[in-house]
Amino acid sequence: LILAALGSTHLGREDPMAAIESYQRALQNAPSNARASIELGLAEAFRLNDDDDEAEALYRKLINNPKVSAQIRDIAAKNIIFVD
C-alpha cells in the first residue's frame, strides 16, 4: 500500500505519469480489499494524463462492479463525466 500512497502523492503534485506507474505497481500485490481504491486513483491519473480511454474503462469497471463500495462507485460515476 506504500506504492498506492506514493501514487496519490504524485497525483497531488500533478505528475500523472509517475502516479500511473506507482498505482500500476501497487496493483500487482494489492490485497483484494484495496484494489478498487487504487484503481480509482489510477483512473484519475489516466484522466489527468489525457488517457481518456484508459480512464473511462477503469471508471466503468468500478461503476459496474457490485462488490465495489457505493462510495467508490459514486466517485467513479461523478468523475467519468470529465472524460472526453
Side-chain angles (χ1 to χ4, degrees), residues 31-71:
S32 60
N33 65 341
R35 292 188 68 81
S37 60
I38 296 170
E39 288 175 342
L40 182 62
L42 181 58
E44 185 64 7
F46 279 133
R47 186 181 69 78
L48 292 177
N49 198 51
D50 294 323
D51 292 330
D52 291 339
D53 291 341
E54 296 283 346
E56 183 177 0
L58 275 173
Y59 286 139
R60 288 194 186 286
K61 176 183 174 186
L62 293 166
I63 291 166
N64 294 320
N65 184 345
K67 293 182 180 180
V68 170
S69 73
Q71 181 181 17

Side-chain angles (χ1 to χ4, degrees), residues 8-52:
S8 296
T9 299
H10 289 306
L11 201 57
R13 292 183 175 186
E14 297 183 8
D15 186 354
M17 286 301 295
I20 289 167
E21 181 181 335
S22 294
Y23 285 132
Q24 287 177 329
R25 290 179 56 209
L27 282 171
Q28 292 174 2
N29 297 312
S32 60
N33 65 341
R35 292 188 68 81
S37 60
I38 296 170
E39 288 175 342
L40 182 62
L42 181 58
E44 185 64 7
F46 279 133
R47 186 181 69 78
L48 292 177
N49 198 51
D50 294 323
D51 292 330
D52 291 339

